[in-house]
Amino acid sequence: MNRRIFTRTSCALALAALAPLASAQGWPEKPIRLILSQPAGSGADAMARLIGDQLSKKLGQPIIVENRPGGQNAIGAQAAAKAPPDGYTFYFATAAALVMNQYLFKALPYDPRKDFIPVGMVGRVPFAVSVNPTSQFKSMHDLVSFARANPGKLDVANEGPKTFSGMMVGLLSSQLGVKVNSVPYASVSAGVTDTVGGQIEVIVSDVPSISQMVKAGKLRPLAVTTAKRISGWESVPTIAETLPGFDYAGWIGIVAPAGTPPAVVQRFNREMEVVLSDKEMAARLLAIGPMTEGAGTVAQMGTFLDGEHQRWAKLTKELGILPE
């Protein structure tokens, strides 16, 4: 009798273990949602739709981009976190949604670490320190020299103290040993407009937001925040050339609700890798914003996220930023 019960139990456990694999073999059988926290028409929206279109061709089902903006990414993140983990919802997530928010806000309607599992990396978004073309600053050395000689007199536009650009201003001030006047703007476009118009001399912003102004000669970049010079901007130095080891960039990755079948995640990751490894696709994405080097593996994405949590926990502590 005990042997019979043991055999039945073993069979049941084996079938339960195989269930996700079996369900994944027929996946996908219907359209897939790709949720993002940015509005329609934004740069992230353009990226999601471009990638989603190519993924749909690989998977044989439509990828429906669903915009859930607002709440410092919390609305979209919560919608993705609470979605059924059946392989038909994925989250097109920013660094803020998956990492930074945890160290900036006391309470979130989702848990960045527990509610999602990694799928793959989309790409990194470099930031830059730029000036009005008429500025006296021709290099980072000029800017730093002025800031040291004139504490608190250099105005630097950004999107606020708890945004990526705002924290870059704080980090640069700390590591360079200078005091600047951080000027927050409600949007990067407003900051760009004032810098182009001469109302403010310096701005820290993501590269995609200023690329057209740079091409038109209305802004002059002094340095980028990534460790290596970026494609198309090879003449622009990196901050790391002044501060060795400095390497910061925004990024976008894809995650799934925790509990999504591993076989589904692996399949989605493989198709992401194929799509993002295409040179034409990489060039099209770069024109919008991110630099991609492929999706990487699921394990690599997980390791990357762990490293980012360690980095931002340390950075917010260094800058004295407390969750609110």
Side-chain angles (χ1 to χ4, degrees):
M1 177 66 72
N2 289 339
R3 183 180 298 174
R4 188 179 303 165
I5 293 173
F6 175 78
T7 302
R8 289 176 178 172
T9 302
S10 298
C11 290
L13 290 173
L15 288 172
L18 289 171
L21 179 60
S23 64
Q25 287 177 346
W27 179 90
E29 298 176 326
K30 61 181 182 179
I32 298 167
R33 286 196 306 165
L34 186 59
I35 295 176
L36 69 154
S37 303
Q38 288 71 41
S42 63
D45 178 70
M47 298 173 213
R49 293 180 188 279
L50 178 59
I51 293 170
D53 180 63
Q54 295 303 309
L55 282 173
S56 68
K57 295 175 183 177
K58 300 291 183 183
L59 295 170
Q61 289 288 348
I63 303 287
I64 300 173
V65 174
E66 187 174 308
N67 304 91
R68 294 288 192 94
Q72 297 286 346
N73 292 279
I75 294 174
Q78 182 181 22
K82 305 303 180 186
D86 56 6
Y88 290 95
T89 299
F90 292 84
Y91 182 37
F92 195 82
T94 62
L98 290 185
V99 177
M100 293 165 59
N101 279 359
Q102 183 167 337
Y103 307 99
L104 301 178
F105 301 99
K106 287 183 178 179
L108 291 172
Y110 68 99
D111 188 318
R113 306 198 79 167
K114 294 181 180 179
D115 289 344
F116 300 108
I117 55 175
V119 178
M121 174 63 71
V122 172
R124 303 179 79 211
V125 181
F127 278 60
V129 179
S130 305
V131 296
N132 184 287
T134 62
S135 171
Q136 61 183 304
F137 308 129
K138 308 301 180 184
S139 66
M140 280 296 292
H141 179 268
D142 291 345
L143 187 148
V144 173
S145 296
F146 177 87
R148 284 177 176 161
N150 302 273
K153 293 186 179 180
L154 179 65
D155 294 336
V156 183
N158 59 83
E159 293 179 272
K162 292 193 173 184
T163 65
F164 193 99
S165 60
M167 281 191 276
M168 287 301 97
V169 174
L171 183 60
L172 284 169
S173 297
S174 173
Q175 294 196 3
L176 290 169
V178 299
K179 183 179 180 181
V180 302
N181 182 28
S182 180
V183 182
Y185 278 80
S187 68
V188 64
S189 60
V192 169
T193 297
D194 275 6
T195 310
V196 170
Q199 284 77 31
I200 197 164
E201 199 166 11
V202 185
I203 184 170
V204 174
S205 66
D206 62 287
V207 166
S209 294
I210 61 170
S211 59
Q212 293 304 315
M213 291 299 179
V214 170
K215 288 179 181 178
K218 296 181 179 180
L219 283 177
R220 184 172 71 246
L222 299 182
V224 294
T225 60
T226 46
K228 298 179 180 179
R229 298 193 183 197
I230 63 176
S231 177
W233 287 37
E234 287 84 0
S235 63
V236 180
T238 68
I239 290 173
E241 292 170 38
T242 300
L243 285 173
F246 195 97
D247 183 18
Y248 285 89
W251 50 264
I252 293 174
I254 293 181
V255 295
T260 300
V264 167
V265 171
Q266 291 290 346
R267 170 80 190 283
F268 199 98
N269 170 270
R270 289 196 301 270
E271 301 301 353
M272 274 185 69
E273 175 66 19
V274 172
V275 167
L276 296 176
S277 295
D278 180 77
K279 291 183 178 180
E280 182 180 346
M281 170 59 79
R284 293 176 70 184
L285 283 173
L286 185 60
I288 301 172
M291 304 181 298
T292 184
E293 296 179 350
T297 66
V298 172
Q300 286 171 336
M301 181 65 176
T303 299
F304 173 80
L305 288 174
D306 288 341
E308 286 293 281
H309 275 284
Q310 293 174 20
R311 181 210 285 257
W312 286 99
K314 180 181 178 181
L315 176 58
T316 51
K317 184 177 181 179
E318 179 182 334
L319 297 179
I321 296 175
L322 299 175
E324 294 181 353

